[in-house]
Amino acid sequence: MNVKEFIKSIQKNPKMFVDEVRIDYLDHLIVGFFVCLKGNNNAVDIDLQFHAHFTRWLVKWIQKNIDKKYEQKYFSWSQTLKDINITSDEIETVKLFFELCDKFFEKNENKEFSYKTNCSNRINLREFIKLIQKKPQAVLYEIRIDYLEYFIDGFKGCNAINDFGDDTAVQFHYYFSDWLVRWIQKNRNKKYKKQHFFWYHTLRDITKDEAEAVALFFTLCDKFYEEYENRK
């Protein structure tokens, strides 16, 4: 599945992918999906076109249809869509995004991307998380645990959909959330009960702010994968 097909899947039922229908959540999810494709040398021309050019195309659309004097302020398309302030809520903004994607893909479907590069080594989810840990602000628009989850979910979902055979992604998908609850019960609050499907809510329950939640996530990921490796 490529990025175009992934966006079409989200459009059918966004609540299958995010617990709140928000444009910033979809942005992090889709970028994570793309990074997985690129890291596995599986990104096709339309994926590369979308990642490299959609925001700039969006700016030109705004200049043509909304405000001819508009100047690009953000690298991300979600921040650009919010910046023009022509929708009344998140649902309308997401709907507009899907409509604009259709226009972009129609125009660029058969174009070849001129600047293709191959990654020398495939990257698995554990390695991907370690890369984010080095500089989270390079990939997250704000240091927030919900943004981090959706970025990771995009990568993880791409692995599963395209069957890249990443065992670290499989382990994380099936076991991390429950493992996190057990860790809390053992180390923070023995009476804590799982209340959320998305683990970012769980981490927010036990931390005072977003920076602490993100830092704790990376620490606990190391512990989770260490236990997994020791069981193998």
Side-chain angles (χ1 to χ4, degrees), residues 178-191:
D178 289 337
W179 179 93
L180 174 59
V181 172
R182 292 194 299 271
W183 181 89
I184 293 170
Q185 291 168 342
K186 182 178 179 180
N187 296 277
R188 295 289 182 87
N189 180 1
K190 66 180 180 181
K191 294 182 179 180

Side-chain angles (χ1 to χ4, degrees), residues 17-222:
F17 299 87
V18 291
D19 64 341
E20 292 182 65
V21 180
R22 292 172 42 160
I23 196 68
D24 49 352
Y25 285 180
L26 295 187
D27 195 342
H28 285 85
L29 186 75
I30 292 165
V31 173
F33 188 94
F34 169 79
V35 171
C36 178
L37 288 177
K38 187 72 167 60
N40 284 278
N41 293 320
N42 212 49
V44 296
D45 288 309
I46 196 63
D47 303 322
L48 299 166
Q49 293 284 0
F50 182 83
H51 182 71
H53 299 309
F54 181 69
T55 301
R56 185 58 194 156
W57 177 92
L58 174 59
V59 170
K60 291 180 180 178
W61 179 87
I62 293 168
Q63 292 167 341
K64 182 179 179 181
N65 296 277
I66 308 297
D67 179 0
K68 65 181 180 180
K69 295 182 179 179
Y70 183 82
E71 295 183 2
Q72 184 172 348
K73 303 172 187 175
Y74 306 101
F75 175 76
S76 82
W77 47 261
S78 65
Q79 291 170 306
T80 302
L81 276 171
K82 296 290 285 185
D83 187 50
I84 59 174
N85 196 30
I86 61 169
T87 52
S88 60
D89 56 31
E90 290 287 340
I91 300 297
E92 282 193 11
T93 306
V94 168
K95 182 180 178 182
L96 177 60
F97 165 68
F98 290 133
E99 291 172 356
L100 294 177
C101 276
D102 287 341
K103 296 178 186 293
F104 175 85
F105 289 133
E106 183 178 351
K107 184 176 180 179
N108 292 277
E109 184 71 54
N110 298 313
K111 288 185 179 179
E112 183 176 351
F113 189 76
S114 303
Y115 307 103
K116 296 178 184 176
T117 57
N118 287 327
C119 298
S120 57
N121 296 301
R122 290 178 60 182
I123 183 171
N124 63 30
L125 180 62
R126 185 179 186 184
E127 294 164 341
F128 179 60
I129 292 171
K130 296 299 285 185
L131 285 175
I132 301 171
Q133 184 176 3
K134 291 179 181 178
K135 195 175 182 181
Q137 63 269 29
V139 293
L140 307 178
Y141 304 146
E142 297 176 48
I143 305 301
R144 291 173 44 155
I145 193 65
D146 50 355
Y147 286 0
L148 181 58
E149 168 150 7
Y150 287 119
F151 194 56
I152 290 170
D153 281 356
F155 188 99
K156 179 165 59 69
C158 176
N159 260 301
I161 291 168
N162 292 292
D163 195 22
F164 289 146
D166 178 1
D167 193 45
T168 69
V170 173
Q171 293 295 323
F172 188 93
H173 177 75
Y174 284 106
Y175 303 119
F176 179 73
S177 186
D178 289 337
W179 179 93
L180 174 59
V181 172
R182 292 194 299 271
W183 181 89
I184 293 170
Q185 291 168 342
K186 182 178 179 180
N187 296 277
R188 295 289 182 87
N189 180 1
K190 66 180 180 181
K191 294 182 179 180
Y192 184 85
K193 293 183 179 180
K194 185 175 181 179
Q195 305 172 58
H196 318 283
F197 176 78
F198 290 87
W199 46 260
Y200 77 83
H201 289 297
T202 303
L203 283 165
R204 280 178 171 170
D205 285 345
I206 61 168
T207 52
K208 67 179 184 296
D209 56 36
E210 296 295 313
E212 183 185 351
V214 169
L216 181 59
F217 168 77
F218 290 128
T219 298
L220 294 181
C221 265
D222 286 340

